[in-house]
Amino acid sequence: MPESLNPEGPATNPLARRLAAYSARQDFGVLLEPEAEQDAAESLESVVRAVLQDMQLDVERHLRLLELAGWVFWLRSGADPQRNPRHERDLTLSLTLFAPLRDAEPESTPEAVRRALPAPPRPGAPQVRGWGDLAGHLLQEAGPHDRTALLAAAAVLQLCMGMSEAEADRARSTSNLAHVLTLLHEHHAVPDTMTAALGFARRLFEESTSDTPEQAAYLAHLCEVLLMAYKSRHTPGALAELIGLNRKALKMLPGNHPNQPDHMTNLAGLLHLRYQETGDTGSLREAVALSRSLIVALPPGHPALPRELNNLAFHLERLAADYSGLIDTATLDEMISLGRTALAQSTSPGPSLDLRIALTANLSRWLRLRARLSPPGEAAAHDADEALLLAREAYGSSSGHPTGVVLEALATALSDRYTRSGDRAALDEAVTLLRTAVDAAETPHRRAARRFILGSTLNNRYLDLGDPADADEAARLLREVADSSAASLRHRLEGAWAAGKLALALGAPATAAEDLTLAIRLLAELVGEVWHDRDRARTLAEFAPLPAVAAACLISIGRPERALELLEQGRGLIHGEPAAISADLERLRARSPELAASLERLPGEWRATPDADLRQQLAEQRQRLTAEIRQVPGFEEFLHPPRLAEILAACKAGPVVVTISGKDSAGSHALIVTENGVRSLPLPRLDRDTVGALNTSIIAGSELALDADRSVRERLLAEHDVRSGLALLWDAVAGPVLDAVRDLPRSGTDDPTGRPRLWWCPTGLLSYFPLHMAERPSEGSAFDLVTSSYTGTVRALGQARPWRTSTGSRPLVVAVPHAPGVPDIPGADEEASALIGMLPGARLLRGQAATRERLMAELRHHDIVHIASHAGFDADRHYEGHLVLHDGRLHFSDIATARAGQGGLAFLSACGTARSRIDVPDESLNLLSAFQLAGFSDLVGSLWPVADHASARLAEFFYQRLTANESAGVAHALHHAVSELRARHPDRPSLWASPVHIGP
């Protein structure tokens, strides 16, 4: 050891102090204790990061640090193998560190090193290629989990990059350094490394010559670095760039290029990631097509074939899931077949161990899925047992470093074993291995993913066994995931939602309120990243109860105002943004016409773009545009969640009653909202059983009462059920609410008869029931006490523009008495004829003229639109609502984008046009809301099927009142029409309890 490393005075570097202590006592212990390895890693990290931060290489400082670390590991390698089992690794490490010193200052290295490493061709000449080869050998031997070895390789490669005399050597060193820095970021979360790796990889690609093998290699390397940056959330926006670069890489390669399979499978994987992030099923279909075409093109025995068979099965799993999240049996069988073939072909020398482990874990997952979906029996048990065996095999082959896929496979297979057999040991084993995996996680990203799996498993064990300790630990872990910026947005949301439910179960509503508040915010963020409304609905369906549970929790701790804010933030997410934009557009146009024009143009460009890459660019453009608009004075809160003052301002016309059917622990409530504040009213009779009874009596009863194929007796009994349901609705909701609002100040929007106005804003399944018609004759009737309207959210009421009919109104009447595939509606012609006579200047679209194209074209020219036709829901379009016209179905999504210029009134004389979708009841996805999005402010429709003759009479009574008294307004006219219908058929509530008004 040189004299310079054996100072007499105190050394400033911890490695120097250790070398001095060793020299004084000749005790290997000071070099072998764990702190010595830590000191070496910290010293190496400090010198590596110093270069990365200012991109200046101090060669002398670098060499001195390499010298200190080199001697530590050289001396350690000479210890007895029993004392130092890693002596061979230490020897390789020391040789790598000494290599630059061998060339620059040979006397500072051990004589054995000078003999082992070749001398430079001339004194002091750097042999950077050899240094880089040693660094590569070290990485191959030590692996990516060896933090010290990675830092040593990075330090040596920094010297290689800075001291290379040939440009080719410099580029090679830069590329290798970027790779090592990426590993340090991925496995050890070393700061500054990913930013530098991206910079190096991008510079190499941008400075390379076009259409050369070198550029193709640098492009592939840049994609690898970007992918890690994206997966670790270091650069969340890297996915769009990655997809574009991979498409470019494929174009650069000839069809028979050996690297083409890698680029194709990378592109398919990136498209799958985009599907996971944005819900774009087109991207997923392209991924499936790429995998299928690649499998066909690869020759038998090609080393990429097992990987691609596995990838195809993985893509199919996502694509084949139906709306309930299940997978059809045929596709699941194909996935398992693909997985078995991939695993069988992975035994050849080509595929890596990591790939075989992944194939084994994935096959385990798919067998477990089939076991869950199959009826109990021998076949399901066989699948489950094989799944557990494969998961154990994958875990055992992981050498103590299992991936998240492997951990989830084994933990879930063990949990399933417990579910099937009650084997408590299996469940305990799952928890134990997951705890070990959390402790062994090297990066925040992996730690968050493993905490989520462990928290979910402990949550399930608590639900089964009831141990509060499991609930406490699960809540803590899930809360840590929810708060972690390293976790995926979905995992954060699921963590916050699960933690909140656990806190409620443990009797800690204040803690639950914090969790659920975060979950609501994350839900809005997640939905904002999804591109298509159908995919947004699928996402929201998974968390449908969240807004009501969160609100009930806040109410229970005395915070009704915050409960209302959360409801407004967590409901109406699919179409809340377009409505908010529409409300602000004119105001923005006055302040910044250019930004307003861009904002107005963007939705049309989005709809007209079939290409997913362009849609992603438009999504990024939208984010930039939103940020620019928020810089405009007065628009700082643009598209931010509504605040209490804005919500209350929407209630100037009268009180809004937000009804919440909460879980048993939090109870049910009504929030009575006025422009002066929010009052919470407990509804103790509104529980789960009551909601079920209301559904049976009102919804099922009305459908039976209107079924012409039933006997008179059956229909009369069903009418009695509806009456009973309306009485129960009075007892549970309307009666207490109307008692509470009885003394509220009146507004200027009261009915001409003096009846006060009131708006209902039901949440969850309560949106299916006619709150405005609740009555118990011996006590009262909501219909007789107030003139009711509905609103999807309180904020939406404030965004609606009041409308009144006038002599300048331009009505459009649409009648479809006959249409292919549906029963005739004889009353549609009768209804249309009556209205044409009542509405001066009305235009009629009837029969063959009532086409989708004609109606869409006419909507912008009329301020009154009345449609008499069939309506329904499409199961093959995720239960999207539609109107039946002469040439087919006009869907919700088409109507919502019509952009009607006149606005005004839309009266839909069709079945169930006000009925919300049962999977996402808080999203206002009924046909009336489609016309509201198109620009109509007042909407009339029905909660359930309508009778032909009753619909015609209702429309006549309605327009008679509306045209006779222009100041009456739509709500008052509908109240009059329903009153007339009820007076004629007092014993048939199925005819008159269904019509509703939505709007101001």
Side-chain angles (χ1 to χ4, degrees), residues 138-160:
L138 171 64
L139 291 181
Q140 186 176 7
E141 183 177 301
H145 302 287
D146 191 328
R147 180 167 176 260
T148 308
L150 287 175
L151 288 165
V156 170
L157 288 168
Q158 284 178 329
L159 279 175
C160 293

Side-chain angles (χ1 to χ4, degrees), residues 398-682:
S398 300
S399 302
H401 298 287
T403 63
V405 173
V406 172
L407 286 169
E408 185 175 8
L410 181 53
T412 313
L414 287 166
S415 298
D416 282 1
R417 182 179 180 85
Y418 163 75
T419 301
R420 293 192 332 271
S421 64
D423 183 357
R424 172 67 183 273
L427 188 58
D428 293 343
E429 182 184 354
V431 171
T432 300
L433 75 90
L434 286 170
R435 282 183 176 140
T436 303
V438 169
D439 294 338
E442 304 94 342
T443 66
H445 174 66
R446 291 189 176 186
R447 191 173 302 114
R450 294 178 185 185
R451 279 176 175 161
F452 178 78
I453 300 172
L454 174 57
S456 300
T457 304
L458 286 166
N459 185 13
N460 292 337
R461 189 166 76 173
Y462 165 71
L463 293 175
D464 279 346
L465 304 177
D467 185 350
D470 280 345
D472 289 337
E473 185 180 0
R476 176 181 59 79
L477 288 164
L478 293 167
R479 203 166 285 126
E480 288 171 352
V481 173
D483 292 333
S484 172
S485 60
S488 70
L489 186 55
R490 174 171 284 275
H491 275 176
R492 293 187 65 198
L493 169 57
E494 291 175 341
W497 177 215
K501 289 186 287 187
L502 275 170
L504 285 174
L506 294 171
T511 302
E514 296 179 6
D515 296 327
L516 297 173
T517 298
L518 175 59
I520 291 285
R521 178 174 68 79
L522 294 172
L523 177 63
E525 287 185 31
L526 182 64
V527 171
E529 291 186 356
V530 178
W531 289 352
H532 294 291
D533 291 344
R534 295 177 200 166
D535 296 310
R536 288 180 176 180
R538 181 165 51 188
T539 299
L540 286 166
E542 300 176 47
F543 305 95
L546 173 56
V549 172
C553 177
L554 267 294
I555 293 170
S556 72
I557 60 173
R559 300 185 63 190
E561 295 85 0
R562 184 58 180 146
L564 178 62
E565 286 183 319
L566 284 183
L567 278 173
E568 293 288 298
Q569 186 178 352
R571 301 174 70 240
L573 292 176
I574 294 178
H575 293 299
E577 182 176 303
I581 290 174
S582 178
D584 283 338
L585 197 57
E586 290 303 318
R587 192 166 60 92
L588 179 63
R589 190 174 282 115
R591 300 300 301 269
S592 177
E594 298 83 4
L595 290 177
S598 298
L599 185 64
E600 195 170 20
R601 185 170 58 248
L602 199 58
E605 293 177 349
W606 181 274
R607 290 191 298 271
T609 301
D611 183 84
D613 291 353
L614 292 177
R615 280 198 298 272
Q616 187 156 18
Q617 293 174 18
L618 289 173
E620 294 171 356
Q621 179 183 335
R622 171 195 165 281
Q623 292 177 347
R624 292 191 296 270
L625 181 60
T626 300
E628 288 184 53
I629 292 172
R630 288 173 181 167
Q631 299 300 314
V632 177
F635 287 85
E636 295 82 2
E637 298 297 311
F638 179 68
L639 294 187
H640 279 308
R643 300 185 186 277
L644 182 63
E646 179 184 356
I647 300 169
L648 297 183
C651 303
K652 291 180 180 179
V656 179
V657 178
V658 183
T659 56
I660 305 164
S661 176
K663 293 207 170 187
D664 295 339
S665 58
S668 297
H669 301 80
L671 294 178
I672 301 172
V673 188
T674 68
E675 60 180 329
N676 298 317
V678 184
R679 174 188 170 189
S680 171
L681 175 69

